[in-house]
């Protein structure tokens, strides 16, 4: 369907599952914005509020051979064995964060998004990269200005981009002087020894891993807790499982779904309660609202629509997850649904999210530990939704922990 993006920019949008999947994997659509004539001709200005999420030197904005080259340099760190090896460390960090929550004033609400859902993936991705937590926390405001841009905030975006570039350039210089056994050092070596990365690609790749490595998981965990708090019947099931000390209790009436690309990433049993919650949250509230953007390399027909060469196309991952042609009662949060794994939350095709395994593992560990430690957790106020075209989630998640004694 034709849409108008902020700034009255024309584009096509795929809003059902089948068409969105087709767009995400279509060989005649590229992520390379050089194919967008309106951008090349200056009809889309450099201060457009979405410019930061559609243009850059990293793999997110590359197509063809360039995308394959850039992706290959980091993909090995996110395959099954390295991610599985992180499970114990993720559980340890999760426990530390829950201990920190226990020290909070029990009479006051706690922002679970800030105090837990944000801090877990930040610490994990920074350890993978071998960089200090401040690499993200010090840039958090700049990151959030890029994913939640404000209308007429062009100058703010430029300032954020410059701040991020300066900080990451300095971080790379520090790691170059003192390399370690980590992903950042490996990327620097690829740049310095193999010359397979330009300096700008190195900065952009580090930026992408940092922001994607925490933003998606932050919103996944927050949205899962929010959905449970809004669905008392499912929350009761989770509380019951937690009180019984379930390490992998079954979701009531759970069905085994077909193993989609996302589902195959998780080694848990099909009926595992916590895995089911993650699966359904990804379908029900995709952390990425819209996948921006792809461009037709030539005139192409997509689902009966003629897309002219150079026209931009976006895939609405959130809408695809709520497609009534794909899911019965799609606006109902139901982890027992047989199609819960049939979603596009991590994309599809060549740009399928490298961090999908890590995000799913972190969310599963986080949800299990949170509700085991605080089974009586309850909402303290209605959360405010993020105002963003690219990401989906809540701005804050105020809860009352109602903490009991620590649980083993």
């Amino acid at each position: 369907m034709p849409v108008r993006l902020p700034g009255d920019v024309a584009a096509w949008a795929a809003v059902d599952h089948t068409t969105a999947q087709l767009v995400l994997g279509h060989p005649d659509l590229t992520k390379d914005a050089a194919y967008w004539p309106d951008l090349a001709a200056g009809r889309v200005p450099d201060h457009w509020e979405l410019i930061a999420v559609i243009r850059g030197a990293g793999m997110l904005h590359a197509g063809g051979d360039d995308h394959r080259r850039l992706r290959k340099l980091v993909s090995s760190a996110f395959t099954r064995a390295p991610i599985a090896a992180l499970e114990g460390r993720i559980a340890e960090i999760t426990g530390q964060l829950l201990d920190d929550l226990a020290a909070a004033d029990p009479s006051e609400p706690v922002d679970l998004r800030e105090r837990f859902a944000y801090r877990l993936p930040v610490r994990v991705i920074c350890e993978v990269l071998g960089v200090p937590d401040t690499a993200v926390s010090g840039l958090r405001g700049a990151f959030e200005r890029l994913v939640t841009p404000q209308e007429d905030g062009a100058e703010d975006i430029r300032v954020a981009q410059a701040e991020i570039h300066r900080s990451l350039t300095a971080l790379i210089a520090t790691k170059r002087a003192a390399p370690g056994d980590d992903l950042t050092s490996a990327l620097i070596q690829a740049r310095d020894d193999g010359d397979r990365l330009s300096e700008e690609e190195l900065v952009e790749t580090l930026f992408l891993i940092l922001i994607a490595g925490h933003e998606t998981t932050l919103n996944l965990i927050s949205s899962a807790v929010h959905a449970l708090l809004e669905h008392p019947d499912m929350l009761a099931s989770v509380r019951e499982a937690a009180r019984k000390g379930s390490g992998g209790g079954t979701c009531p009436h759970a069905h085994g779904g077909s193993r989609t690309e996302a589902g195959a990433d998780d080694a848990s049993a099909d009926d595992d309660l916590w895995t089911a919650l993650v699966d359904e949250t990804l379908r029900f509230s995709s952390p990425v609202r819209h996948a921006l953007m792809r461009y037709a390399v030539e005139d192409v027909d997509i689902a009966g629509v003629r897309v002219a060469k150079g026209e931009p196309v976006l895939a609405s991952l959130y809408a695809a997850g709520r497609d009534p042609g794909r899911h019965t009662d799609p606006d109902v949060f139901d982890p027992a649904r047989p199609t819960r794994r049939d979603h596009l939350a991590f994309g599809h095709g060549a740009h399928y999210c490298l961090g999908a395994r890590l995000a799913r593992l972190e969310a599963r560990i986080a949800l299990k530990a949170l509700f085991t430690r605080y089974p009586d957790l309850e909402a303290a106020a209605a959360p405010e939704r993020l105002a963003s075209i690219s990401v989906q989630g809540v701005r804050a998640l105020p809860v009352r922990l109602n903490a009991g004694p620590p649980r083993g």
Side-chain angles (χ1 to χ4, degrees):
M1 62 182 289
V3 295
R4 289 281 171 178
L5 298 175
D8 201 32
V9 172
W12 294 99
V15 297
D16 65 88
H17 182 105
T18 299
T19 307
Q21 186 174 40
L22 182 61
V23 164
L24 293 171
H26 203 291
D28 293 325
L29 297 178
T30 180
K31 292 277 285 181
D32 186 350
Y35 284 85
W36 191 10
D38 285 350
L39 183 65
R43 292 187 290 273
V44 176
D46 285 344
H47 60 264
W48 185 45
E49 63 188 85
L50 295 176
I51 200 74
V53 295
I54 63 98
R55 186 175 66 183
M59 76 182 83
L60 181 64
H61 306 110
D65 291 342
D66 278 341
H67 174 255
R68 284 187 286 272
R69 171 178 58 87
L70 294 168
R71 187 178 175 99
K72 185 177 180 180
L73 290 173
V74 301
S75 60
S76 62
F78 296 96
T79 53
R80 189 179 304 278
I83 297 305
L86 290 172
E87 183 165 358
R89 179 58 180 149
I90 294 170
E92 182 180 7
I93 294 171
T94 299
Q96 292 169 357
L97 293 174
L98 294 177
D99 288 343
D100 291 343
L101 289 180
D105 184 344
S107 66
E108 294 294 327
V110 170
D111 182 359
L112 202 66
R113 183 183 192 269
E114 170 68 26
R115 296 284 301 274
F116 182 63
Y118 165 72
R119 297 184 186 187
L120 172 60
V122 162
R123 287 183 59 180
V124 173
I125 198 62
C126 285
E127 289 194 8
V128 170
L129 287 167
V131 302
D133 292 358
T134 52
V136 175
S137 59
L139 290 171
R140 187 179 181 190
F143 284 161
E144 292 195 348
R145 292 198 294 276
L146 295 186
V147 298
T148 56
Q150 303 299 310
E151 191 172 357
D152 300 325
E155 181 59 30
D156 196 39
I157 291 172
R158 282 195 291 269
V159 170
Q161 288 177 306
E163 180 183 349
I164 291 168
H165 194 278
R166 283 195 303 271
S167 294
L168 295 186
T169 298
L171 178 63
I172 289 167
T174 300
K175 292 295 292 185
R176 185 173 271 134
D181 183 17
D182 52 63
L183 183 53
T184 302
S185 298
L187 290 172
I188 291 171
Q189 183 175 351
R191 159 68 182 138
D192 294 350
D193 294 348
D195 199 28
R196 292 181 290 167
L197 279 172
S198 69
E199 194 70 16
E200 190 62 24
E201 287 173 339
L202 176 58
V203 172
E204 288 267 352
T205 299
L206 184 57
F207 162 70
L208 174 61
I209 295 171
L210 277 173
I211 192 168
H214 81 274
E215 187 72 30
T216 301
T217 310
L218 155 64
N219 289 319
L220 172 56
I221 295 170
S222 299
S223 293
V225 176
H226 179 217
L228 284 171
L229 295 177
E230 289 199 324
H231 293 79
D233 55 340
M234 180 47 57
L235 181 58
S237 297
V238 169
R239 285 173 171 165
E240 181 64 21
R243 287 191 177 97
K244 290 179 178 178
S246 170
T250 57
C251 182
H253 313 298
H255 304 280
S258 60
R259 292 186 66 80
T260 63
E261 187 172 10
D265 284 341
D266 198 319
S268 298
D270 286 354
D271 61 352
D272 179 89
L273 170 63
W274 312 105
T275 299
L277 289 174
V278 173
D279 289 334
E280 177 65 351
T281 303
L282 288 165
R283 181 207 67 82
F284 181 77
S285 189
S286 170
V288 177
R289 181 179 285 275
H290 301 293
L292 303 171
M293 258 182 315
R294 283 156 174 77
Y295 314 92
V297 299
E298 60 185 19
D299 292 351
V300 60
D301 287 319
I302 300 176
V305 173
R306 186 70 167 175
V307 178
K309 181 179 179 180
E311 288 187 325
V313 185
L314 62 88
S316 179
L317 308 185
Y318 179 85
R322 301 292 187 97
D323 182 359
R326 202 81 175 189
H327 307 283
T328 303
D329 297 325
D331 294 329
V332 174
F333 183 76
D334 178 16
R337 72 173 61 245
T339 57
R340 67 181 184 269
R341 290 183 170 182
D342 193 10
H343 61 76
L344 299 171
F346 291 119
H348 175 75
H351 284 268
Y352 181 77
C353 178
L354 273 173
R357 284 190 181 92
L358 180 57
R360 290 169 60 85
L361 179 62
E362 287 176 315
R364 177 167 59 82
I365 290 172
L367 291 170
K368 174 187 170 184
L370 175 66
F371 284 99
T372 299
R373 182 72 175 270
Y374 301 110
D376 296 317
L377 179 150
E378 61 184 9
E384 178 187 353
R385 289 284 182 183
L386 285 170
S388 172
I389 194 171
S390 56
V391 297
Q392 164 70 26
V394 295
R395 188 174 297 280
L397 189 58
V399 302
R400 295 189 186 280
L401 297 172
N402 299 324
R407 295 168 180 263

